Amino acid sequence: MSGEKDVRVITDEVISRLERGEIKFSEIDQAVGNRNLGTLIRRTYLERRYKVSLTSIGHTILDFEEIVGRNIENPIGAVQIPLGVAGPLKIVGENVVGEFYVPMATTEGALVASVSRGAKAVTLSGGAYSMVIKDGMTRAPLFRLPSIRKAREFVEWVKEHFEEIKRAAESTTRHGKLISIDPFIVGNNVWLRFRFTTGDAMGMNMVTIATDAACRFIEEKFPDADLIALSGNLCVDKKPNYMNVLMGRGKTVISETILKSDVVKQVLKTDVDSMIEVNNRKNLLGTSFAGGIGQNAHSANIIAAIFIATGQDVAQVVESSIAYTWMEKTKEGDLYVSVTLPSLEVGTVGGGTWLPTQREALTLLGVAGSGERPGLNAIKFAEIIAATVLAGEINLVAAIAAGHLARAHEKLGRKKM
Amino acid sequence: MSGEKDVRVITDEVISRLERGEIKFSEIDQAVGNRNLGTLIRRTYLERRYKVSLTSIGHTILDFEEIVGRNIENPIGAVQIPLGVAGPLKIVGENVVGEFYVPMATTEGALVASVSRGAKAVTLSGGAYSMVIKDGMTRAPLFRLPSIRKAREFVEWVKEHFEEIKRAAESTTRHGKLISIDPFIVGNNVWLRFRFTTGDAMGMNMVTIATDAACRFIEEKFPDADLIALSGNLCVDKKPNYMNVLMGRGKTVISETILKSDVVKQVLKTDVDSMIEVNNRKNLLGTSFAGGIGQNAHSANIIAAIFIATGQDVAQVVESSIAYTWMEKTKEGDLYVSVTLPSLEVGTVGGGTWLPTQREALTLLGVAGSGERPGLNAIKFAEIIAATVLAGEINLVAAIAAGHLARAHEKLGRKKM
Amino acid sequence: MSGEKDVRVITDEVISRLERGEIKFSEIDQAVGNRNLGTLIRRTYLERRYKVSLTSIGHTILDFEEIVGRNIENPIGAVQIPLGVAGPLKIVGENVVGEFYVPMATTEGALVASVSRGAKAVTLSGGAYSMVIKDGMTRAPLFRLPSIRKAREFVEWVKEHFEEIKRAAESTTRHGKLISIDPFIVGNNVWLRFRFTTGDAMGMNMVTIATDAACRFIEEKFPDADLIALSGNLCVDKKPNYMNVLMGRGKTVISETILKSDVVKQVLKTDVDSMIEVNNRKNLLGTSFAGGIGQNAHSANIIAAIFIATGQDVAQVVESSIAYTWMEKTKEGDLYVSVTLPSLEVGTVGGGTWLPTQREALTLLGVAGSGERPGLNAIKFAEIIAATVLAGEINLVAAIAAGHLARAHEKLGRKKM
Amino acid sequence: MSGEKDVRVITDEVISRLERGEIKFSEIDQAVGNRNLGTLIRRTYLERRYKVSLTSIGHTILDFEEIVGRNIENPIGAVQIPLGVAGPLKIVGENVVGEFYVPMATTEGALVASVSRGAKAVTLSGGAYSMVIKDGMTRAPLFRLPSIRKAREFVEWVKEHFEEIKRAAESTTRHGKLISIDPFIVGNNVWLRFRFTTGDAMGMNMVTIATDAACRFIEEKFPDADLIALSGNLCVDKKPNYMNVLMGRGKTVISETILKSDVVKQVLKTDVDSMIEVNNRKNLLGTSFAGGIGQNAHSANIIAAIFIATGQDVAQVVESSIAYTWMEKTKEGDLYVSVTLPSLEVGTVGGGTWLPTQREALTLLGVAGSGERPGLNAIKFAEIIAATVLAGEINLVAAIAAGHLARAHEKLGRKKM
């Protein structure tokens, strides 16, 4: 009781000091020595200043004592996003076998239902097979050299001193292992694209720190190379691009299935040829004519929903969602479908994965935390995501083929207005 | 008390029926006649089946009676994401004037702090000016014609019957107004790119339904045109692409500021020339060499965090985050900076914007719900987002210029491991 | 005789003056008052300086008195390129009907034969239908404005003063008609994409001059707009790009045919399904995964050979060759094929079209010089080119489908080694 | 005399047979046993059929007895294209040192003069430095596998059997050496991108034949892999693409220079800052916003003109002309300029390089035929081309900076109308 009173008193006092400019907004936590209290004060300050109520934002299980500095600054509470599960989805993959209910946090009506229907078709056809074919997180610092002659000399030097650079990089991390450095020269600009395995972490921070250490070593030993940017946009992080398509980033993962023609008919209410026609005209021709990267119907929907649910870096949806959906008829008249994701950036440790709800979502998939062997959980997780994208693609292409799209939206989406 | 007991009994019973296959997972709500109870049962079922705890996911203020079918299916609870505020950010825009604390939901440490520092530099320099230069949500159905002759005839016909098509489209919506139909012909494939204003809604569902009605009219009147896909991927929704860059989707919005050279020095700890050099080499040369769309440092970070916080369609981060960051020195030696977002898809009504925490986040910005005049709130919101991206770009480019990036990550990010 | 002696004497003398630095290489024509003689002297000078023989280059029917300044500077003679004809190719187009032998200047063995085989298949199936669906040459000057506010004001001003700008532009040309100005704003940069019809000329020079006049008017009336570049690379000239794909440049032209399944079998030695499979996997999936623009097998081969033969601007092969090849099975089991060329930049007057051999090549197609009505010949020419690309695509896809490619190259290409 | 009469008689006779359908157009050479005569007959036939004169085309030094089947089929004569020389251009490169007059075959007035002015600026500043940083011709066959599991197994198998595959490939060629095979998997599609060094030849035919042999070996040993296309469009040949930008094709070559600020002023009539501004706004920002690949002003102009002059495969201008032009100010206030060409496909033997005028053009540059050591001439040639592109870029950017472009076109281009 008296605690509550104190809280009110402290809050009023800190807000007064804020208003008088004696303290800055970013200094509140420090001033009161408690981040949960700081969160309350910030929220209250904003409520008063802007004459709004932020009560719902304040209702949260998050303990900001733990979170501030790791995942957020200047918190005022939390956002709550509905979490549904799509499934059951049978996966008979390289590292995961089982039936999964995939957690998807979204506010787009019909999405979870849509993926679930695709999952049903996949499951009835025997499941999806998923496989990670490439793995590695990248960071590409950009150096300025005095001339192209020096640029090439530099690139040669880097090749020759790979082991030393590796040592410098890995001195900063237990989990990151430098596996390659790919150089790119454009005039007097040199990018070195570092690629690391990062265990079960998505690894961008790990890799940034390790690359920074490597760059310090490089600059010291090769003084003609001036580091312009630790990230030179050839990494490529959080921008759509062909570098990641062709050279991979994070997991390069594929999932495939063969849908029985009668499943296409009974579950998806369309037929094999119609689905192939939609995929070819819309995804393969349409996307490319529009100057698009990837060829798919809506992989970003699935990626975004799973990323939010499981504490991934949501800005990476940009390139993680680049996907190539391929459909063809088998000799038996069934439908072969695959989705290829060249650049799926995911982790089961680090980032937002340890937050309470996110961690539970990963637990539901059996991939929370570190894997039996380092990296295994992240790989399993990638396999599950790819299979879920596969289900999502199957359903939307089928729905379009069946002319169902708009009607589904009318039914489920109308309520929103 | 007895209510709780009942819940347990019902839960056990429904789970038994699920296990015996007498009822399907997707039929639970219907079976128990209450979506909150259904949510509990689904969660409990998964907890038992997979031997996990989903307690945190169960702690939520969401009322699924309201939400299911509008925003989610098969819910099991909610995800909670830390919500911080970046600011204060001064905007002296076309439609918004004031100091803002911008809500960002993220799990990436350092992000809110980073944007806040950029905001400080902008604010000290007099603020950002933002402007929406184009507005309209699109949907591009794809038709198959018997020949290219018919394809052109079809396109001519559409032009001549624009008013009738408009009437058919608008019969489905109060807020959507059809403003143009851009045709694209590739062989016997014809895409009609419908563009609507959609008031304060992002409008994709509205536009899909309206386009569907238009297509029914078209197919009836021009029977040679077979609708293959209501969305033919020239819309373009949720895929990175140049169509939206060149022709816009949602809001095309720009924000600019002139950073005083001494602000660059004192707040950002670097100088004007160094920032320009980083922008030119990394963003303009680097991104493009990598086959990237857009030229920026990390606009997706800001867009994703605001989208999650405010109930936007997060999968649209893909194209909404495409941004062109431009920097140059003014005659006075200051730094002119602009960011151009060709395809920012946002709304203040519809989608997830009405959910409790998301709505509060919009309220904090003064843009929740419908605007004074239709569409004004969505435009204001776009102006604020662009200014926030501007702040984010300024800070990251400055941090790189100052070589601060890695050290910041070390300090703030280290805790995560 | 004495003429020849004089020539030798003059040549020696001029070369001596060149060697003594009394005259510059670029001043030779002026010094001797005759461009054919100048050509001889330049050639002789280079022969002596570099101790080489340039006799073949000297053998030419070109009269440099006419050509220098229009088509070339510093000439030393001419290059001779073998000219073959592909055909007969039946076209039943919008503006051209008949059987054509299409002139192709190339040094790539097998190319003309390859296109001829495709032409045979097309002809036996009833011919190709070609149609120009858009027409207009563009130039996009780039202006710097003081702010985005001014940028939009500028764009509004341009819209309002279109008629005056049109008058200024058209004052420089009899044939060019300004049809639209499309604005693009990126920060404080504004591009105005001028689009003109240009009669039978490809029209780039015409358009450049007219746009220059328009820009002078604009800069005078709207002094805040600083012209940075008369061509701001949104034209887009001689670079591969999506602007031209989506908005067209020159002729946007399509050609289609339906190949009878027995023609596929007998002439092309393969079958309909195999050709579709190759087109889908190689052209639609392969090109796009490689980050390619367009989806075709080798349209550039045909475009380049015709461009060289007919005096087009060969550097424009870059974007003129962007093509989308689409194949599908008809209900009757035949093969529908189309090629769509969004940006084919061609003319029948101006540029190199008046040179003797090039003009004859155009004459062979019945499209030399101005058309009956302005622009008709250029349109006819575009229709013929598109049909030839169609034939070329058909043959190569068929050859690949039949596994013939390598064997054809072995047979025809082996001789080269 | 009697010979001439005979020719007329034979011509009439063959044409009669053609008209009666007793012989096909493609069988003329065979019928008369002489390809020069065949050429005459084809030309005469077309002249009569289409009532045109092809006299100029008939005037040629080419001996079709030698050329047919190597470089052309169905020839009717030759096209003559004006050949100018740009220079003198000083190059102080890795493998070439000297002053060059670069042969350019073009019909675009002002082009040679423009490059010459750029060359002057380069030469006065001490010359250009050029360097080839990567070398290798590629061909990427496309295989269909039964599943992604098999696809990865296949890729592993290829890695393990590299030496055997190499042996199979190299059995077909003396000059081609297989240096790597890069695999790309998209669903059940596998591309193997073969990279060969090809001596002084551009090497596409060599590589196609060698890859075909490799594929036969592969298909025999790994029967689950079905070869769909010997070229699967990841090569990438004759289409604009990012694969070649990022991984190279042919020569990856860079040229750079530092232009003295007073040379910029006196020769180019502009200043360093203005040129940088044009390059940044037009080439770096403009091209990329337009969805362009590369960032340059007009590299295709130079590449096309040199390719025609020297017997290169002109359709390869498409990707060979992709260039990144970079400009920055040195500490001394001079202008650093570089051009980077990731994918310059050139040769000094094979293709059209042995034709009389083309060979002379190569001789003028000192790079005709095979180099002292295999491949050296082709590398030298690439260095010269890159330096010439550099000169061309410098001049055009300078001309734009000086507002000279339009006036130059008016002066030189006006004559054309």
Side-chain angles (χ1 to χ4, degrees), chain C residues 100-372:
Chain C
F100 295 87
Y101 286 87
V102 183
M104 299 177 68
T106 184
T107 63
E108 189 190 352
L111 178 59
V112 173
S114 159
V115 176
S116 292
R117 196 179 71 136
K120 186 177 171 189
V122 170
T123 300
L124 285 173
S125 296
Y129 181 80
S130 296
M131 196 172 69
V132 170
I133 60 169
K134 198 169 183 184
D135 188 2
M137 180 48 52
T138 58
R139 190 47 103 188
L142 159 59
F143 298 85
R144 179 186 55 211
L145 276 292
S147 67
I148 54 175
R149 225 172 321 195
K150 271 287 171 194
R152 194 175 56 179
E153 197 184 310
F154 177 52
V155 164
E156 292 300 325
W157 182 91
V158 167
K159 209 174 289 173
E160 285 160 18
H161 294 75
F162 179 78
E163 286 305 324
E164 292 163 68
I165 295 167
K166 182 176 164 71
R167 225 171 297 134
E170 294 180 359
S171 71
T172 64
T173 165
R174 248 182 328 140
H175 299 292
K177 302 292 164 202
L178 181 63
I179 45 182
S180 63
I181 303 176
D182 289 311
F184 296 88
I185 307 180
V186 182
N188 61 357
N189 299 279
V190 175
W191 285 262
L192 299 177
R193 195 170 187 256
F194 286 71
R195 171 186 288 272
F196 295 83
T197 57
T198 57
D200 288 298
M202 179 271 280
M204 207 178 59
N205 276 331
M206 185 196 298
V207 160
T208 301
I209 293 162
T211 303
D212 185 41
C215 288
R216 286 172 198 208
F217 172 81
I218 288 169
E219 284 195 293
E220 197 192 311
K221 301 293 183 185
F222 200 98
D224 277 335
D226 283 330
L227 181 67
I228 294 294
L230 186 51
S231 158
N233 277 21
L234 262 67
C235 313
V236 184
D237 192 50
K238 300 174 182 172
K239 294 112 202 162
N241 70 90
Y242 277 107
M243 172 68 87
N244 293 10
V245 170
L246 294 175
M247 309 202 57
R249 192 173 197 243
K251 317 303 183 203
T252 302
V253 58
I254 314 182
S255 191
E256 75 182 358
T257 195
I258 294 174
L259 289 184
K260 298 284 189 319
S261 64
D262 59 338
V263 169
V264 173
K265 202 167 294 172
Q266 283 152 33
V267 177
L268 301 175
K269 315 297 180 200
T270 180
D271 59 76
V272 169
D273 287 328
S274 298
M275 287 183 66
I276 293 172
E277 176 167 19
V278 168
N279 194 58
N280 285 347
R281 289 189 193 267
K282 167 192 170 78
N283 292 343
L284 271 65
L285 178 60
T287 319
S288 298
F289 190 81
I293 304 180
Q295 299 181 316
N296 65 76
H298 72 142
S299 57
N301 270 331
I302 293 94
I303 300 288
I306 300 178
F307 270 36
I308 298 173
T310 60
Q312 308 303 308
D313 191 335
V314 181
Q316 289 181 332
V317 167
V318 171
E319 69 270 27
S320 291
S321 67
I322 293 173
Y324 292 82
T325 298
W326 174 254
M327 297 190 178
E328 67 183 87
K329 203 174 189 167
T330 66
K331 280 176 196 161
E332 295 74 23
D334 296 326
L335 181 67
Y336 173 87
V337 192
S338 67
V339 294
T340 302
L341 297 153
S343 172
L344 182 67
E345 297 142 337
V346 290
T348 59
V349 301
T353 63
W354 75 286
L355 295 174
T357 52
Q358 288 83 336
R359 186 169 184 86
E360 286 180 2
L362 287 167
T363 309
L364 178 59
L365 295 173
V367 298
S370 299
E372 284 170 49

Side-chain angles (χ1 to χ4, degrees), chain B residues 107-129:
Chain B
T107 62
E108 190 190 352
L111 178 58
V112 173
S114 160
V115 175
S116 291
R117 197 179 70 135
K120 185 177 172 189
V122 169
T123 300
L124 285 172
S125 297
Y129 182 80

Side-chain angles (χ1 to χ4, degrees), chain C residues 1-14 32 37 40-41 48:
Chain C
M1 291 275 171
S2 87
E4 276 190 28
K5 206 186 258 163
D6 288 358
V7 163
R8 253 184 273 159
V9 171
I10 295 171
T11 299
D12 289 345
E13 195 189 293
V14 173
V32 299
L37 181 51
L40 170 63
I41 294 171
R48 292 186 192 169

Side-chain angles (χ1 to χ4, degrees), chain D residues 161-357:
Chain D
H161 294 75
F162 179 78
E163 287 305 324
E164 291 163 68
I165 295 168
K166 182 176 165 70
R167 224 170 299 135
E170 293 179 0
S171 71
T172 64
T173 166
R174 251 185 322 142
H175 299 293
K177 303 292 164 202
L178 181 63
I179 44 184
S180 63
I181 302 176
D182 289 312
F184 296 88
I185 307 180
V186 182
N188 61 356
N189 300 279
V190 175
W191 286 261
L192 300 177
R193 195 170 187 255
F194 286 71
R195 171 185 287 271
F196 294 82
T197 56
T198 57
D200 288 298
M202 179 271 280
M204 208 178 59
N205 276 332
M206 185 196 299
V207 159
T208 301
I209 294 162
T211 304
D212 184 41
C215 288
R216 285 171 199 208
F217 172 81
I218 288 169
E219 284 195 292
E220 196 193 311
K221 301 293 183 186
F222 199 100
D224 277 335
D226 283 330
L227 181 68
I228 293 295
L230 185 51
S231 157
N233 278 21
L234 262 67
C235 313
V236 185
D237 192 50
K238 300 174 181 171
K239 295 111 200 162
N241 70 89
Y242 277 107
M243 172 68 87
N244 291 11
V245 170
L246 294 175
M247 309 202 55
R249 193 173 197 245
K251 318 301 183 202
T252 302
V253 56
I254 314 181
S255 191
E256 75 182 357
T257 194
I258 294 174
L259 290 184
K260 298 284 190 317
S261 64
D262 59 339
V263 169
V264 172
K265 203 168 292 170
Q266 283 151 31
V267 176
L268 301 175
K269 314 296 181 201
T270 182
D271 58 77
V272 169
D273 287 328
S274 298
M275 287 182 66
I276 293 171
E277 176 167 18
V278 167
N279 193 57
N280 285 346
R281 289 189 193 268
K282 169 192 169 78
N283 292 343
L284 271 65
L285 179 60
T287 319
S288 298
F289 189 80
I293 304 179
Q295 299 181 317
N296 65 77
H298 72 142
S299 57
N301 270 331
I302 293 93
I303 300 288
I306 300 178
F307 271 35
I308 299 173
T310 59
Q312 307 303 309
D313 190 336
V314 181
Q316 290 181 331
V317 167
V318 171
E319 68 270 26
S320 291
S321 67
I322 293 174
Y324 292 81
T325 298
W326 174 255
M327 297 191 177
E328 66 184 89
K329 204 174 187 167
T330 66
K331 279 178 197 163
E332 296 74 23
D334 296 327
L335 182 67
Y336 173 87
V337 192
S338 66
V339 294
T340 303
L341 297 153
S343 172
L344 182 68
E345 295 142 337
V346 290
T348 59
V349 301
T353 63
W354 75 286
L355 294 173
T357 52

